[in-house]
mmCIF file of all heavy atoms in Angstrom:
data_model
loop_
_atom_site.group_PDB
_atom_site.id
_atom_site.type_symbol
_atom_site.label_atom_id
_atom_site.label_comp_id
_atom_site.label_asym_id
_atom_site.label_seq_id
_atom_site.Cartn_x
_atom_site.Cartn_y
_atom_site.Cartn_z
ATOM 1 N N LEU P 1 -20.786 4.684 13.650
ATOM 2 C CA LEU P 1 -21.679 3.990 12.719
ATOM 3 C C LEU P 1 -22.265 4.904 11.648
ATOM 4 O O LEU P 1 -22.593 4.456 10.549
ATOM 5 C CB LEU P 1 -22.814 3.305 13.486
ATOM 6 C CG LEU P 1 -22.385 2.152 14.391
ATOM 7 C CD1 LEU P 1 -23.575 1.618 15.163
ATOM 8 C CD2 LEU P 1 -21.731 1.047 13.578
ATOM 9 N N ASN P 2 -22.383 6.197 11.947
ATOM 10 C CA ASN P 2 -22.906 7.152 10.970
ATOM 11 C C ASN P 2 -21.792 7.932 10.286
ATOM 12 O O ASN P 2 -22.049 8.977 9.685
ATOM 13 C CB ASN P 2 -23.894 8.109 11.647
ATOM 14 C CG ASN P 2 -25.117 7.378 12.160
ATOM 15 O OD1 ASN P 2 -25.614 6.462 11.510
ATOM 16 N ND2 ASN P 2 -25.595 7.766 13.332
ATOM 17 N N GLY P 3 -20.564 7.457 10.410
ATOM 18 C CA GLY P 3 -19.429 8.115 9.767
ATOM 19 C C GLY P 3 -18.849 9.278 10.549
ATOM 20 O O GLY P 3 -17.952 9.963 10.059
ATOM 21 N N GLN P 4 -19.328 9.494 11.763
ATOM 22 C CA GLN P 4 -18.860 10.626 12.554
ATOM 23 C C GLN P 4 -17.525 10.308 13.229
ATOM 24 O O GLN P 4 -17.179 9.167 13.430
ATOM 25 C CB GLN P 4 -19.922 11.023 13.594
ATOM 26 C CG GLN P 4 -20.006 10.116 14.806
ATOM 27 C CD GLN P 4 -20.860 8.863 14.620
ATOM 28 O OE1 GLN P 4 -21.163 8.457 13.510
ATOM 29 N NE2 GLN P 4 -21.204 8.234 15.729
ATOM 30 N N GLU P 5 -16.810 11.380 13.547
ATOM 31 C CA GLU P 5 -15.556 11.251 14.289
ATOM 32 C C GLU P 5 -15.875 10.842 15.723
ATOM 33 O O GLU P 5 -16.865 11.284 16.302
ATOM 34 C CB GLU P 5 -14.789 12.576 14.268
ATOM 35 C CG GLU P 5 -14.437 13.047 12.866
ATOM 36 C CD GLU P 5 -12.967 12.940 12.543
ATOM 37 O OE1 GLU P 5 -12.135 13.027 13.458
ATOM 38 O OE2 GLU P 5 -12.655 12.769 11.354
ATOM 39 N N THR P 6 -15.028 9.986 16.282
ATOM 40 C CA THR P 6 -15.186 9.517 17.657
ATOM 41 C C THR P 6 -13.907 9.814 18.429
ATOM 42 O O THR P 6 -12.919 10.303 17.855
ATOM 43 C CB THR P 6 -15.448 8.000 17.684
ATOM 44 O OG1 THR P 6 -14.268 7.333 17.188
ATOM 45 C CG2 THR P 6 -16.661 7.615 16.840
ATOM 46 N N ALA P 7 -13.905 9.482 19.692
ATOM 47 C CA ALA P 7 -12.690 9.634 20.502
ATOM 48 C C ALA P 7 -11.550 8.803 19.913
ATOM 49 O O ALA P 7 -10.395 9.245 19.875
ATOM 50 C CB ALA P 7 -12.960 9.239 21.951
ATOM 51 N N GLN P 8 -11.869 7.615 19.406
ATOM 52 C CA GLN P 8 -10.837 6.763 18.796
ATOM 53 C C GLN P 8 -10.330 7.373 17.489
ATOM 54 O O GLN P 8 -9.145 7.275 17.175
ATOM 55 C CB GLN P 8 -11.362 5.344 18.567
ATOM 56 C CG GLN P 8 -10.320 4.373 18.054
ATOM 57 C CD GLN P 8 -9.134 4.153 18.994
ATOM 58 O OE1 GLN P 8 -9.197 4.422 20.183
ATOM 59 N NE2 GLN P 8 -8.043 3.671 18.453
ATOM 60 N N THR P 9 -11.201 8.037 16.726
ATOM 61 C CA THR P 9 -10.770 8.717 15.496
ATOM 62 C C THR P 9 -9.736 9.783 15.830
ATOM 63 O O THR P 9 -8.690 9.876 15.177
ATOM 64 C CB THR P 9 -11.974 9.381 14.787
ATOM 65 O OG1 THR P 9 -13.034 8.450 14.653
ATOM 66 C CG2 THR P 9 -11.577 9.906 13.414
ATOM 67 N N ILE P 10 -10.030 10.563 16.848
ATOM 68 C CA ILE P 10 -9.113 11.629 17.275
ATOM 69 C C ILE P 10 -7.794 11.037 17.744
ATOM 70 O O ILE P 10 -6.716 11.531 17.391
ATOM 71 C CB ILE P 10 -9.772 12.488 18.370
ATOM 72 C CG1 ILE P 10 -10.964 13.244 17.772
ATOM 73 C CG2 ILE P 10 -8.769 13.451 19.001
ATOM 74 C CD1 ILE P 10 -11.904 13.840 18.799
ATOM 75 N N SER P 11 -7.854 9.950 18.493
ATOM 76 C CA SER P 11 -6.638 9.287 18.977
ATOM 77 C C SER P 11 -5.781 8.795 17.808
ATOM 78 O O SER P 11 -4.556 8.953 17.812
ATOM 79 C CB SER P 11 -7.026 8.128 19.894
ATOM 80 O OG SER P 11 -5.893 7.433 20.316
ATOM 81 N N VAL P 12 -6.420 8.198 16.805
ATOM 82 C CA VAL P 12 -5.679 7.704 15.634
ATOM 83 C C VAL P 12 -5.067 8.869 14.860
ATOM 84 O O VAL P 12 -3.923 8.793 14.406
ATOM 85 C CB VAL P 12 -6.575 6.828 14.739
ATOM 86 C CG1 VAL P 12 -5.918 6.558 13.392
ATOM 87 C CG2 VAL P 12 -6.906 5.522 15.448
ATOM 88 N N ARG P 13 -5.795 9.961 14.713
ATOM 89 C CA ARG P 13 -5.236 11.139 14.018
ATOM 90 C C ARG P 13 -4.009 11.676 14.758
ATOM 91 O O ARG P 13 -3.028 12.080 14.131
ATOM 92 C CB ARG P 13 -6.293 12.223 13.858
ATOM 93 C CG ARG P 13 -7.360 11.885 12.822
ATOM 94 C CD ARG P 13 -8.277 13.076 12.563
ATOM 95 N NE ARG P 13 -9.386 12.742 11.718
ATOM 96 C CZ ARG P 13 -9.346 12.630 10.393
ATOM 97 N NH1 ARG P 13 -8.198 12.810 9.761
ATOM 98 N NH2 ARG P 13 -10.425 12.337 9.697
ATOM 99 N N GLN P 14 -4.033 11.682 16.086
ATOM 100 C CA GLN P 14 -2.875 12.117 16.872
ATOM 101 C C GLN P 14 -1.699 11.160 16.668
ATOM 102 O O GLN P 14 -0.549 11.593 16.533
ATOM 103 C CB GLN P 14 -3.242 12.217 18.352
ATOM 104 C CG GLN P 14 -4.190 13.349 18.654
ATOM 105 C CD GLN P 14 -4.742 13.320 20.070
ATOM 106 O OE1 GLN P 14 -4.673 12.299 20.772
ATOM 107 N NE2 GLN P 14 -5.301 14.428 20.501
ATOM 108 N N PHE P 15 -1.992 9.873 16.624
ATOM 109 C CA PHE P 15 -0.961 8.867 16.379
ATOM 110 C C PHE P 15 -0.312 9.113 15.014
ATOM 111 O O PHE P 15 0.905 9.080 14.872
ATOM 112 C CB PHE P 15 -1.585 7.467 16.444
ATOM 113 C CG PHE P 15 -0.611 6.356 16.230
ATOM 114 C CD1 PHE P 15 0.166 5.874 17.263
ATOM 115 C CD2 PHE P 15 -0.477 5.768 14.972
ATOM 116 C CE1 PHE P 15 1.075 4.840 17.062
ATOM 117 C CE2 PHE P 15 0.420 4.746 14.762
ATOM 118 C CZ PHE P 15 1.203 4.276 15.804
ATOM 119 N N VAL P 16 -1.137 9.385 14.002
ATOM 120 C CA VAL P 16 -0.630 9.628 12.649
ATOM 121 C C VAL P 16 0.224 10.897 12.608
ATOM 122 O O VAL P 16 1.248 10.928 11.917
ATOM 123 C CB VAL P 16 -1.788 9.690 11.628
ATOM 124 C CG1 VAL P 16 -1.329 10.261 10.300
ATOM 125 C CG2 VAL P 16 -2.372 8.296 11.434
ATOM 126 N N ASN P 17 -0.147 11.920 13.349
ATOM 127 C CA ASN P 17 0.686 13.126 13.396
ATOM 128 C C ASN P 17 2.097 12.788 13.855
ATOM 129 O O ASN P 17 3.068 13.330 13.338
ATOM 130 C CB ASN P 17 0.059 14.177 14.311
ATOM 131 C CG ASN P 17 -1.118 14.864 13.667
ATOM 132 O OD1 ASN P 17 -1.267 14.866 12.442
ATOM 133 N ND2 ASN P 17 -1.977 15.443 14.488
ATOM 134 N N ALA P 18 2.218 11.881 14.811
ATOM 135 C CA ALA P 18 3.541 11.481 15.301
ATOM 136 C C ALA P 18 4.293 10.650 14.269
ATOM 137 O O ALA P 18 5.523 10.585 14.291
ATOM 138 C CB ALA P 18 3.409 10.713 16.610
ATOM 139 N N LEU P 19 3.582 10.003 13.344
ATOM 140 C CA LEU P 19 4.242 9.202 12.303
ATOM 141 C C LEU P 19 4.913 10.076 11.234
ATOM 142 O O LEU P 19 5.747 9.592 10.481
ATOM 143 C CB LEU P 19 3.224 8.289 11.601
ATOM 144 C CG LEU P 19 2.573 7.191 12.420
ATOM 145 C CD1 LEU P 19 1.555 6.444 11.561
ATOM 146 C CD2 LEU P 19 3.613 6.232 12.971
ATOM 147 N N GLN P 20 4.537 11.334 11.162
ATOM 148 C CA GLN P 20 5.062 12.223 10.122
ATOM 149 C C GLN P 20 6.585 12.335 10.150
ATOM 150 O O GLN P 20 7.205 12.553 9.109
ATOM 151 C CB GLN P 20 4.424 13.616 10.228
ATOM 152 C CG GLN P 20 2.921 13.630 10.056
ATOM 153 C CD GLN P 20 2.451 13.079 8.720
ATOM 154 O OE1 GLN P 20 3.071 13.307 7.683
ATOM 155 N NE2 GLN P 20 1.361 12.338 8.747
ATOM 156 N N HIS P 21 7.201 12.134 11.315
ATOM 157 C CA HIS P 21 8.662 12.267 11.399
ATOM 158 C C HIS P 21 9.402 11.167 10.630
ATOM 159 O O HIS P 21 10.592 11.278 10.391
ATOM 160 C CB HIS P 21 9.127 12.352 12.862
ATOM 161 C CG HIS P 21 9.239 11.044 13.559
ATOM 162 N ND1 HIS P 21 8.177 10.423 14.162
ATOM 163 C CD2 HIS P 21 10.312 10.225 13.740
ATOM 164 C CE1 HIS P 21 8.584 9.292 14.694
ATOM 165 N NE2 HIS P 21 9.863 9.134 14.450
ATOM 166 N N PHE P 22 8.686 10.104 10.221
ATOM 167 C CA PHE P 22 9.331 9.069 9.413
ATOM 168 C C PHE P 22 9.565 9.541 7.985
ATOM 169 O O PHE P 22 10.328 8.927 7.241
ATOM 170 C CB PHE P 22 8.496 7.778 9.398
ATOM 171 C CG PHE P 22 8.436 7.068 10.720
ATOM 172 C CD1 PHE P 22 7.216 6.651 11.232
ATOM 173 C CD2 PHE P 22 9.581 6.808 11.455
ATOM 174 C CE1 PHE P 22 7.143 5.992 12.450
ATOM 175 C CE2 PHE P 22 9.517 6.147 12.677
ATOM 176 C CZ PHE P 22 8.295 5.743 13.177
ATOM 177 N N GLY P 23 8.882 10.611 7.567
ATOM 178 C CA GLY P 23 9.070 11.155 6.230
ATOM 179 C C GLY P 23 8.458 10.317 5.120
ATOM 180 O O GLY P 23 8.864 10.428 3.969
ATOM 181 N N LEU P 24 7.494 9.467 5.457
ATOM 182 C CA LEU P 24 6.829 8.622 4.461
ATOM 183 C C LEU P 24 5.415 9.129 4.210
ATOM 184 O O LEU P 24 4.791 9.711 5.100
ATOM 185 C CB LEU P 24 6.731 7.179 4.980
ATOM 186 C CG LEU P 24 8.039 6.439 5.210
ATOM 187 C CD1 LEU P 24 7.763 5.108 5.906
ATOM 188 C CD2 LEU P 24 8.762 6.216 3.899
ATOM 189 N N PRO P 25 4.893 8.863 3.011
ATOM 190 C CA PRO P 25 3.477 9.167 2.803
ATOM 191 C C PRO P 25 2.634 8.326 3.751
ATOM 192 O O PRO P 25 2.919 7.146 3.962
ATOM 193 C CB PRO P 25 3.219 8.746 1.353
ATOM 194 C CG PRO P 25 4.553 8.568 0.728
ATOM 195 C CD PRO P 25 5.530 8.291 1.830
ATOM 196 N N VAL P 26 1.626 8.944 4.344
ATOM 197 C CA VAL P 26 0.711 8.250 5.242
ATOM 198 C C VAL P 26 -0.691 8.421 4.679
ATOM 199 O O VAL P 26 -1.135 9.538 4.425
ATOM 200 C CB VAL P 26 0.776 8.805 6.678
ATOM 201 C CG1 VAL P 26 -0.198 8.067 7.585
ATOM 202 C CG2 VAL P 26 2.192 8.716 7.232
#
């Protein structure tokens, strides 16, 4: 609520790291 990173933020960032192999802008 205050714009801080949460456990879900970290999880989504890890998910996005795995998307990098598609070679598309994310």
Side-chain angles (χ1 to χ4, degrees):
L1 293 176
N2 296 321
Q4 77 276 18
E5 300 251 331
T6 65
Q8 185 62 20
T9 310
I10 294 165
S11 177
V12 168
R13 288 188 187 281
Q14 291 170 343
F15 181 83
V16 166
N17 284 339
L19 295 177
Q20 299 301 322
H21 81 275
F22 292 131
L24 296 172
V26 180

